[in-house]
Amino acid sequence: MTPTLFVGNYNYSSWSLRPWLCLAWAEIAFAERFVDLDQAGYGGDGIAELKAISPTAKVPVLEIDGTRIWDSVAIAEWAAETSGQLLPSAPVERALVRSAVAEMHSGFAALRRDLPMNIRRRCRAHGLPADTLRDLDRLSTLWDWGRNRFGDRGPYLFGQRSLADAFYLPVAARLRTYAVALASDQAERYGAMLLEDEAFQIWEARVLAEPVRAFAQVPLDAVYPGTDLA
Ligand SMILES: N[C@@H](CCC(=O)N[C@@H](CS)C(=O)NCC(=O)O)C(=O)O
């Protein structure tokens, strides 16, 4: 049976976007179910609609023949294993891709706190604290390293497209939203290239089709007050 991916709001849900890109890039047929995250329980004791779907009351969730996979990395890995794509063939290089994915999944806490994904919005971040600037430095170094080491194999972080590109594409969208520059020009170019991705353009078109409204449960649009929502 066709697997079903449960996703959250296109503008905000970076954890939904990542496995969605992996499934799309791996050309795996899947159905989708949208769950509006702007409901009571968000970020607290959980949205009732999500509690019925996921043990953690979070999206993304991928339902495969009645079994639910409840984490973005697990879904991304499933896409890679099922398709034989999105991971290099050499074990040590697979481990490098996984290091980059894991670093995103478990790290960059300050960057995520101060620069939340908001694909539609354009404003300027100001007064970023030291820990966020450190995250941005690390991001620049990582992207620069990947492009230096694997650039002769293609335009992606590890040359050929991999799970890592899906995990960092939402970060590229954040840099664009908040007009944040990276120290490395090469890293900047990589981020800009990610945003040209064909599958991401489909996701972005959905963002633009969503009604513009503040997210009521958490004031995500108020991180930099005084700037427009649109
Ligand atoms: N570690 C999880 C994180 C998932 C996550 O935080 N999802 C957010 C949306 S981007 C969510 O569903 N939040 C609902 C809530 O906090 O109530 C993953 O990688 O899948």
Side-chain angles (χ1 to χ4, degrees):
M1 227 173 75
T2 310
T4 300
L5 183 69
F6 294 82
V7 297
N9 302 58
Y10 304 114
N11 191 44
Y12 299 115
S13 184
S14 61
W15 294 121
S16 298
L17 171 57
R18 293 176 170 106
W20 185 90
L21 287 169
C22 294
L23 291 167
W25 290 346
E27 296 177 284
I28 294 170
F30 64 103
E32 277 180 66
R33 285 264 310 274
F34 171 81
V35 179
D36 187 359
L37 295 174
D38 194 10
Q39 298 189 48
Y42 175 82
D45 64 351
I47 296 169
E49 194 181 340
L50 282 181
K51 284 182 178 166
I53 297 166
S54 157
T56 56
K58 292 189 191 319
V59 279
V61 168
L62 184 69
E63 186 171 308
I64 310 165
D65 294 330
T67 297
R68 288 174 180 149
I69 314 298
W70 69 87
D71 184 88
S72 59
V73 174
I75 299 168
E77 286 277 353
W78 178 85
E81 284 185 15
T82 302
S83 66
Q85 299 180 55
L86 302 178
L87 280 173
S89 47
V92 76
E93 291 182 3
R94 294 163 90 86
L96 284 176
V97 170
R98 288 178 167 128
S99 296
V101 166
E103 185 175 353
M104 180 64 242
H105 197 240
S106 64
F108 293 108
L111 185 153
R112 283 160 48 198
R113 177 194 65 214
D114 293 338
L115 307 170
M117 192 174 88
N118 195 328
I119 293 173
R120 173 201 310 123
R121 195 175 184 197
R122 297 291 180 276
C123 63
R124 191 165 287 276
H126 46 78
L128 290 173
D131 53 353
T132 309
L133 295 175
R134 270 199 305 277
D135 275 0
L136 288 167
D137 269 356
R138 171 60 196 146
L139 183 74
S140 184
T141 302
L142 171 68
W143 286 6
D144 199 52
W145 164 82
R147 298 301 304 131
N148 280 335
R149 179 154 173 180
F150 298 100
D152 58 342
R153 297 194 203 165
Y156 296 99
L157 191 54
F158 291 87
Q160 300 292 304
R161 190 157 61 186
S162 74
L163 300 180
D165 303 299
F167 275 73
Y168 285 97
L169 194 150
V171 182
R174 290 159 136 114
L175 300 181
R176 183 180 65 174
T177 291
Y178 301 102
V180 172
L182 294 180
S184 154
D185 291 345
Q186 179 170 239
E188 287 246 323
R189 285 196 299 278
Y190 163 68
M193 184 277 296
L194 286 180
L195 298 178
E196 299 295 313
D197 177 72
E198 226 174 274
F200 175 63
Q201 309 266 319
I202 293 171
W203 183 277
E204 195 173 21
R206 296 173 177 184
V207 165
L208 299 177
E210 274 178 336
V212 178
R213 61 179 165 89
F215 202 68
Q217 298 300 317
V218 173
L220 290 178
D221 289 301
V223 177
Y224 299 99
T227 50
D228 290 342
L229 272 186

